[in-house]
Amino acid sequence: MRKPFIAANWKMNKTIGETKSFLDEFIPLVKDAKDVDIIIAPPFTSLGIASAMLKDTNIQLSAQDIFYEEKGAFTGEVSPVMLADAGCEHVIIGHSERRQYFHETDEIVNKKIKAARKQGLDVIFCIGESLEERESGKTLDVLEREVENGLKDVPADGIVVAYEPIWAIGTGKTATIEQAQEAHKYIRERLASIYGNKANEIRILYGGSVTPDNVDSLMACEDVDGALVGGASLKPDSFARIVKFKK
Ligand code: PGA
C-alpha cells in the first residue's frame, strides 16, 4: 500500500508573516488527518519560521530547490547540508518552472537528486510534457527520457515522482482522469524497468491545477498516489480540503 502524499508548492509566494498566518490556521485544520503524508514547501526565506511551527505536528517541511555542491563559491545557491540544517525533510527537484526559466537540464536535475539523497533528503522529482509535446504525440517519450536521465544511478529509496503536465500548471486546465492514469501507469512501467518490484512502492503524484473540486476523482486513479499543489495550496481551507480528499 502506498501512503497518499499531498504536497504544497508555494512557489515565490508568502512572506514570513504570511507563512505564520497560514500555519496558525492550517495546522489545527489537518491535525486529525491520518494515513496521509502532508508536506509544505515554502520559499527559502520562510523555512525557519515554518520549521519552528511544524515541530511536533503531522506536517513535514520541503524546500523548492537545491544546489548540488555541498559548499563554496556559488553565490545565491543553497546546499543540501543547509536545507537539512534548516529542518527540511524533502526537496522538490526538476520543477518545470526551473527547467524553463533557469535552464535546468536532465543532467543538472540528476546531480541535484544525487546530492539531496546523499544528505538524506527525500526528493519530489518533477517531470511532464509541454502542450506542444503532447499535441505532437511525444508525451510518453518525454516522460521516458526525463525518468531515465533524472534517476540515472539513483536508488529507489526516498524518491517520489510528480507528473506535472506543463500545460496544466497554473492554467486551470487539469489533465483528464484518463490522461493522468495513462501517464502515471507509463511512469510506473518505466520505474519498474529501472527498479523492478520496488517501483510498486514509489509514489507518483499528479500536479497541475489540482483543486478541492477535482482532487477526489484524481486520487481515485489507480496509479495516482498524491498531489503536488500550487495555487490551491495558498489558502489554508482549500489545501486542508485537498489533504482530506475523499476516496
Ligand atoms: P498549480 O501548480 O497547482 O498552481 O497548477 C502546480 C505545480 O506547479 O506544482
Side-chain angles (χ1 to χ4, degrees):
M1 257 304 278
R2 297 182 293 266
K3 188 176 181 188
F5 186 108
I6 308 284
N9 174 12
W10 284 357
K11 310 191 180 184
M12 199 171 70
N13 292 290
K14 294 197 191 295
T15 60
I16 294 172
E18 288 163 348
T19 299
K20 185 172 180 311
S21 307
F22 177 99
L23 292 177
D24 275 335
E25 201 178 326
F26 181 71
I27 292 169
L29 288 178
V30 298
K31 72 172 186 331
D32 297 325
K34 297 215 168 57
D35 303 322
V36 53
D37 282 326
I38 311 170
I39 287 84
I40 293 191
F44 287 132
T45 45
S46 284
L47 288 176
I49 183 81
S51 169
M53 292 181 75
L54 296 182
K55 217 163 255 157
D56 304 322
T57 70
N58 55 342
I59 305 163
Q60 304 159 44
L61 188 63
S62 176
Q64 298 175 15
D65 187 30
I66 194 168
F67 192 56
Y68 49 74
E69 296 289 349
E70 281 177 19
K71 61 177 173 181
F74 301 101
T75 301
E77 294 298 326
V78 178
S79 79
V81 178
M82 291 167 183
L83 292 182
D85 184 47
C88 293
E89 292 172 69
H90 307 263
V91 57
I92 298 171
I93 296 180
H95 192 281
S96 60
E97 287 151 16
R98 303 256 5 131
R99 295 180 192 254
Q100 183 181 347
Y101 303 129
F102 304 98
H103 315 295
E104 283 193 13
T105 61
D106 287 344
E107 288 68 38
I108 294 174
V109 168
N110 178 252
K111 279 167 100 166
K112 289 186 170 189
I113 293 176
K114 286 179 180 155
R117 290 301 303 136
K118 191 170 165 214
Q119 192 55 42
L121 293 162
D122 287 349
V123 171
I124 303 168
F125 164 45
C126 303
I127 57 174
E129 81 288 359
S130 65
L131 185 59
E132 196 193 337
E133 288 163 340
R134 175 162 284 271
E135 286 177 345
S136 56
K138 293 195 193 120
T139 298
L140 301 185
D141 294 340
V142 171
L143 298 180
E144 176 173 20
R145 190 203 76 223
E146 289 185 335
V147 167
E148 278 175 13
N149 294 345
L151 296 177
K152 193 164 188 282
D153 303 323
V154 174
D157 301 324
I159 301 293
V160 168
V161 178
Y163 168 61
E164 298 204 306
I166 298 169
W167 46 272
I169 295 178
T171 58
K173 272 195 213 163
T174 322
T176 63
I177 300 306
E178 292 75 26
Q179 287 169 329
Q181 174 55 26
E182 182 200 25
H184 281 234
K185 184 166 174 280
Y186 183 73
I187 293 165
R188 198 169 311 282
E189 285 165 13
R190 299 321 329 144
L191 293 171
S193 77
I194 306 173
Y195 300 122
N197 282 343
K198 268 207 150 181
N200 287 323
E201 293 163 28
I202 298 180
R203 287 165 298 178
I204 306 176
L205 319 180
Y206 171 80
S209 298
V210 175
T211 66
D213 293 332
N214 60 27
V215 67
D216 299 344
S217 52
L218 286 163
M219 289 301 289
C221 294
E222 191 184 335
D223 285 291
V224 175
D225 307 312
L228 181 56
V229 189
S233 74
L234 294 171
K235 293 220 170 77
D237 54 346
S238 148
F239 189 51
R241 171 62 182 84
I242 293 173
V243 165
K244 295 191 224 170
F245 68 91
K246 297 191 179 83
K247 278 181 218 147

